[in-house]
């Protein structure tokens, strides 16, 4: 069985693949000082509930954009599952070209999404990930990663609006009641601005990407808020909440032996 860990800025997702299906997927808030022992207490209980013993885990793959979390996640794999994890890095064999000015600077979550999207849906396509940041990634027909766009995540925007304007409340994110655009009170006006503003951002950027690319493209969405925004636009061809963890699974298949040179940032080695 393969343990995959997708550690983002807000949440970390742990999942186990048995070669045929995902046996379980679990999410925990990201805290960079959480130790391997703390992860283990939480994770081993969840695995036990699914009938999975630590010795059943024969491989592991980690994808993270949070360097400070890496040490504890690697220690978790070593100490509790006796496996050396594959760590996603632009230097690995991805099976496609990374056509950027500096390929090493791209976030591995974006490469993982591109890898899984190409394998599962075929290119060319635009992958939109609703995470801490909202990212748009462009994948060519042959799988080449062409780059993309990074926009502020919707939760960051909502928090910034509340913090910067003293009289504006903190609001929940959701589609305005009845799908209305014109708000009749402050709360509804803010909800409309956030929801329909992001729908406009999504549709506008996808249209510009397609125009610049010059050919028809599929549009794939992932991340926790993808289903919400599908209520306000028809731009998505597919929604796949498991895209990133599938990317880790595919990357492990291409790189079954973790190379020693994948970790080059010394900050990731610190406990």
């Amino acid at each position: 069985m393969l343990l995959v860990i997708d550690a983002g800025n807000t949440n970390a997702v742990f999942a186990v693949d048995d070669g045929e299906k995902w046996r379980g997927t679990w999410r925990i808030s990201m805290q960079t000082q959480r130790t391997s022992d703390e992860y283990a207490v939480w994770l081993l209980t969840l695995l036990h509930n699914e009938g999975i013993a630590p010795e059943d885990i024969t491989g592991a793959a980690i994808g993270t954009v949070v360097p400070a979390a890496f040490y504890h996640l690697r220690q978790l794999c070593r100490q509790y599952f006796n496996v050396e994890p594959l760590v996603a890095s632009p230097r690995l064999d991805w099976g496609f070209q990374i056509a950027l000015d500096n390929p090493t600077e791209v976030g591995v979550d974006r490469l993982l999404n591109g890898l899984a999207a190409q394998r599962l849906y075929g290119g060319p396509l635009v992958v939109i990930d609703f995470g801490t940041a909202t990212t748009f990634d462009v994948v060519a027909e042959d799988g080449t990663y062409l780059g993309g766009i990074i926009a502020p995540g919707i939760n960051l925007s909502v928090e910034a609006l509340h913090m910067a304007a003293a009289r504006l409340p903190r609001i929940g994110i959701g589609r305005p009641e009845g799908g209305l655009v014109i708000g009749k009170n402050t709360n509804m006006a803010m909800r409309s601005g956030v929801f329909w503003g992001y729908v406009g951002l999504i549709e506008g950027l996808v249209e510009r990407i397609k125009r610049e690319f010059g050919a028809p493209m599929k549009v794939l969405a992932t991340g926790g808020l993808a289903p919400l925004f599908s209520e306000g636009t028809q731009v998505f061809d597919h929604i796949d909440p498991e895209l990133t963890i599938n990317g880790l699974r595919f990357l492990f298949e291409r790189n079954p032996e973790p190379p020693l040179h994948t970790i080059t940032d010394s900050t990731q080695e610190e406990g």
Side-chain angles (χ1 to χ4, degrees):
M1 293 188 186
L2 174 67
L3 170 67
V4 301
I5 305 172
D6 169 29
N9 289 294
T10 303
N11 295 303
V13 178
F14 293 70
V16 172
D17 175 65
D18 66 4
E20 296 182 357
K21 65 181 185 299
W22 292 107
R23 288 285 297 274
T25 303
W26 308 279
R27 185 180 302 267
I28 190 171
S29 63
M30 172 52 64
Q31 297 179 20
T32 57
Q33 296 307 309
R34 182 177 279 124
T35 68
S36 59
D37 298 326
E38 290 174 303
Y39 280 120
V41 169
W42 170 78
L43 182 59
L44 292 176
T45 300
L46 294 169
L47 293 176
H48 176 76
N49 291 342
E50 294 297 325
I52 302 172
E55 56 268 24
D56 293 334
I57 303 298
T58 56
I62 298 173
T64 182
V65 293
V66 186
F70 167 75
Y71 173 83
H72 301 295
L73 293 172
R74 186 182 63 176
Q75 289 300 103
L76 170 71
C77 296
R78 288 176 171 178
Q79 293 178 354
Y80 289 92
F81 300 101
N82 197 32
V83 295
E84 183 65 29
L86 175 76
V87 181
S89 161
R91 296 177 176 84
L92 293 177
D93 173 16
W94 290 84
F96 56 77
Q97 179 186 0
I98 304 173
L100 300 180
D101 296 337
N102 182 6
T104 61
E105 72 180 12
V106 63
V108 295
D109 54 338
R110 302 174 69 187
L111 296 178
L112 291 166
N113 286 343
L115 173 60
Q118 169 66 16
R119 286 280 297 271
L120 296 172
Y121 302 95
L125 46 81
V126 182
V127 182
I128 307 174
D129 189 348
F130 294 94
T132 305
T134 301
T135 57
F136 297 71
D137 295 301
V138 181
V139 179
E141 185 172 5
D142 65 358
T144 299
Y145 179 83
L146 298 175
I149 298 167
I150 302 175
I154 188 168
N155 285 297
L156 290 177
S157 298
V158 169
E159 189 64 21
L161 191 62
H162 167 68
M163 295 296 293
R167 297 191 61 184
L168 295 182
R170 182 180 282 107
I171 62 168
I173 300 169
R175 187 172 185 262
E177 294 178 9
L180 300 176
V181 175
I182 302 173
K184 298 298 185 180
N185 54 61
T186 298
N187 185 281
M188 293 306 298
M190 292 176 66
R191 285 168 61 92
S192 180
V194 169
F195 182 82
W196 293 117
Y198 259 79
V199 168
L201 178 143
I202 294 162
E203 294 177 337
L205 289 179
V206 167
E207 179 184 354
R208 288 176 178 272
I209 289 170
K210 288 182 174 180
R211 189 185 311 151
E212 187 172 313
F213 187 78
M217 307 176 76
K218 302 168 189 172
V219 180
L220 175 62
T222 190
L225 293 176
L228 170 65
F229 285 107
S230 70
E231 299 176 10
T233 180
Q234 300 298 314
V235 75
F236 306 142
D237 295 302
H238 305 282
I239 297 176
D240 189 339
E242 297 178 341
L243 194 67
T244 312
I245 60 174
N246 272 315
L248 280 165
R249 177 168 62 89
F250 294 142
L251 186 66
F252 185 85
E253 291 174 0
R254 295 193 64 88
N255 301 266
E257 296 295 330
L260 297 177
H261 65 271
T262 54
I263 298 303
T264 58
D265 186 345
S266 61
T267 62
Q268 294 183 333
E269 298 287 352
E270 297 174 0

